[in-house]
Structures are given as structure tokens and as C-alpha cells.
Amino acid sequence: ELKVEQNPLFLSMQEGKNYTIYCNYSTTSDRLYWYRQDPGKSLESLFVLLSNGAVKQEGRLMASLDTKARLSTLHITAAVHDLSATYFCAVGSQGNLIFGKGTKLSVKP
Amino acid sequence: NAGVTQTPKFRVLKTGQSMTLLCAQDMNHEYMYWYRQDPGMGLRLIHYSVGEGTTAKGEVPDGYNVSRLKKQNFLLGLESAAPSQTSVYFCASSAPLGFLGDEQFFGPGTRLTVL
């Protein structure tokens, strides 16, 4: 059974500093997705990672996938308030996606 | 192109009442999903469908039924609502796994309270 673990679950960030969220999963998969959820809103797709070594960047966010280590990272560069949200990783398994519990980010001035 | 829509957005039920949540998508996706989201639990899959007329159980199917009579619609039913079913329900859809992956697209959610 595939298990997906994110850490940290909560992250209080200072504006301008860099941070990393980790997503570990327990069995082999070659597809991983990152989503963002604002309070009271739906999930918005951020990144699609489909191969070992895949790296995607959008603004201050960069996601990477290491399928051998079963690890994806979401790196935040120079955090700003607009990045405050909950971020989920989801790993593909047998036609479904298994979601992590989410990492709640809060950016403070 | 509305993407994935859900009806209703909010609902309050009394224990034992029944209701149906409707999900519709206009992306011609084969696959559709129902999740529930509870604080600290992430998203948990209730039921899913890989095509018109087919459904399958997810991680937490008890107390729910689903139907996929048309490709664009996926209905989630609660026959006898219980307070434990108080949650936010999300519908999602995706294309079958291909070279672009099987990214899921989510609806806006339905906030359900069972008293």
C-alpha cells in the first residue's frame, strides 16, 4: 500500500527566506503532482513531475522528483506573503493519486 | 469551458436525511473521483469511475453510493446522513494516464454539515 508523507506539516516562514517541503512515498511511482489550496478554496495544480530527475519551476517555486529515493521537494525562494497556503503532493498509484496530508505554509513579514 | 463544477456549494442535513451531490465536467475526461477533506486528514478517496457506467470503491466508501450514467456527470449519494459525514467534498476528473500524466482537476467543493 502506497503511503505519502509530507514534512513539515506546518511551516512558518519569514519573508525573503528560502524553505523546502519534502514529500516521501513508500513504493515505486514515476509520477508526482503538487497542488496548492487556499483557505476555503479548491485545489489548484502547480506541477506535474513524470520522470526521475524532473525539475519544474514557476516563479518562486521549484519542484523536483527523485524516483530512486522516492522523494520530491518543493523549494521556495525568497518567500512572500502570497505563497501562504496549504501545499499537497500526490503520488500516482494504480490509476489513482494518493495525497499527502498537506503542508500549511504561513509567511510572516 | 467551466472545468469541473459541483452542486450544491453548501448544505446542512439532519441525521438520517439523504441527499445527492452532483459533479459535472466539460473536459471530456474519462476518469472522475469523489474525495472528502477533513482537517488534518488530507484528501481521502471515496469512490471513483474510469468510464461511463463503471464505478469503484476508494479508501472510505462506507455510507456513500455513486453513479456515472453519463460521461460528464458523477453523482455522490448519501442515503442516511450521519454526523461523521460532515466534511468538504471535492470532485475531480482526469484523462487516463498518458504521456502527459493523469493530473486531476478539482471542482470548487461542497461543504456539508450533518446535525
Side-chain angles (χ1 to χ4, degrees), chain B residues 19-89:
Chain B
M19 76 163 295
T20 300
L21 283 67
L22 171 64
C23 176
Q25 52 96 4
D26 62 2
M27 296 177 282
N28 201 33
H29 283 164
E30 288 292 334
Y31 294 2
M32 296 186 75
Y33 312 82
W34 275 108
Y35 294 90
R36 61 179 287 172
Q37 185 177 35
D38 302 293
M41 301 291 290
L43 274 79
R44 293 184 291 170
L45 183 64
I46 305 171
H47 286 279
Y48 64 100
S49 168
V50 298
E52 184 178 318
T54 71
T55 63
K57 294 180 180 180
E59 179 186 356
V60 288
D62 293 343
Y64 306 95
N65 56 74
V66 288
S67 64
R68 183 105 180 265
L69 299 179
K70 294 183 179 180
K71 184 178 183 179
Q72 64 267 34
N73 295 337
F74 195 27
L75 278 63
L76 177 71
L78 286 73
E79 289 185 348
S80 179
S84 60
Q85 294 178 303
T86 293
S87 187
V88 180
Y89 292 85

Side-chain angles (χ1 to χ4, degrees), chain A residues 31 33 35 37 42 45 88, chain B residues 33 37 102-104 106-107:
Chain A
R31 56 196 207 279
Y33 306 86
Y35 290 85
Q37 185 180 37
S42 186
S45 180
F88 292 91
Chain B
Y33 312 82
Q37 185 177 35
D102 55 351
E103 179 186 8
Q104 292 184 12
F106 284 80

Side-chain angles (χ1 to χ4, degrees), chain A residues 6-95:
Chain A
Q6 287 182 236
N7 69 84
L9 296 182
F10 299 93
L11 184 55
S12 181
M13 305 186 292
Q14 281 190 312
E15 277 190 337
K17 293 198 172 180
N18 303 334
Y19 298 88
T20 301
I21 302 171
Y22 298 90
C23 176
N24 292 89
Y25 53 99
S26 60
T27 63
T28 302
S29 176
D30 58 0
R31 56 196 207 279
L32 189 138
Y33 306 86
W34 284 97
Y35 290 85
R36 168 181 171 143
Q37 185 180 37
D38 291 297
K41 303 292 187 182
S42 186
L43 279 78
E44 171 193 356
S45 180
L46 290 176
F47 298 109
V48 177
L49 303 169
L50 299 178
S51 61
N52 187 42
V55 178
K56 296 277 184 75
Q57 183 162 7
E58 180 74 33
R60 300 176 187 274
L61 300 178
M62 184 173 72
S64 65
L65 177 61
D66 181 341
T67 59
K68 294 179 182 177
R70 299 176 187 166
L71 171 68
S72 179
T73 60
L74 181 65
H75 187 71
I76 300 149
T77 301
V80 292
H81 181 71
D82 285 354
L83 294 178
S84 296
T86 299
Y87 294 81
F88 292 91
C89 65
V91 180
S93 173
Q94 298 178 340

